[in-house]
Amino acid sequence: MVSYTSDDNVQNLVYGATNNDLDAASTAARDAATSIINSYLDIQKDIASPSDAVTRCATFLAAGMLSTGPKDKLEENTYYKTGIALLE
């Protein structure tokens, strides 16, 4: 799987800095964001060279996942809502 954004993009949006200790969590969120985008677009194969719009969408979706606590609702997260709006 090719994630449509980078750990640095996601971590900078959520935390304002990068932290290699958080790479596993941000990578999981990026992979999930990529799957959401592929599902929405109804494609089976990852986009080899995603556009800036796809990258921004993936960044916001992943940031939403990363910044949502276990007791929070993902669909209420501002980053996640922004990613969904970009996707639509």
Side-chain angles (χ1 to χ4, degrees), residues 4 32-44 87:
Y4 297 151
T34 298
S35 294
I36 289 169
I37 293 167
N38 288 353
S39 177
Y40 185 85
L41 298 175
D42 195 26
I43 57 176
Q44 303 300 315
L87 185 57

Side-chain angles (χ1 to χ4, degrees), residues 19-65:
N19 181 341
N20 291 344
D21 292 338
L22 301 173
D23 282 357
S26 58
T27 296
R30 291 185 309 114
D31 289 348
T34 298
S35 294
I36 289 169
I37 293 167
N38 288 353
S39 177
Y40 185 85
L41 298 175
D42 195 26
I43 57 176
Q44 303 300 315
K45 191 174 175 185
D46 292 335
I47 301 167
S49 297
S51 67
D52 287 342
V54 169
T55 299
R56 281 191 299 276
C57 179
T59 300
F60 277 106
L61 290 172
M65 291 176 216

Side-chain angles (χ1 to χ4, degrees), residues 8 10-11 13 19-20 25 31-32 43 45 60 77 82 84:
D8 288 354
V10 175
Q11 291 172 14
L13 182 59
N19 181 341
N20 291 344
D31 289 348
I43 57 176
K45 191 174 175 185
F60 277 106
N77 181 286
T82 301
I84 292 296

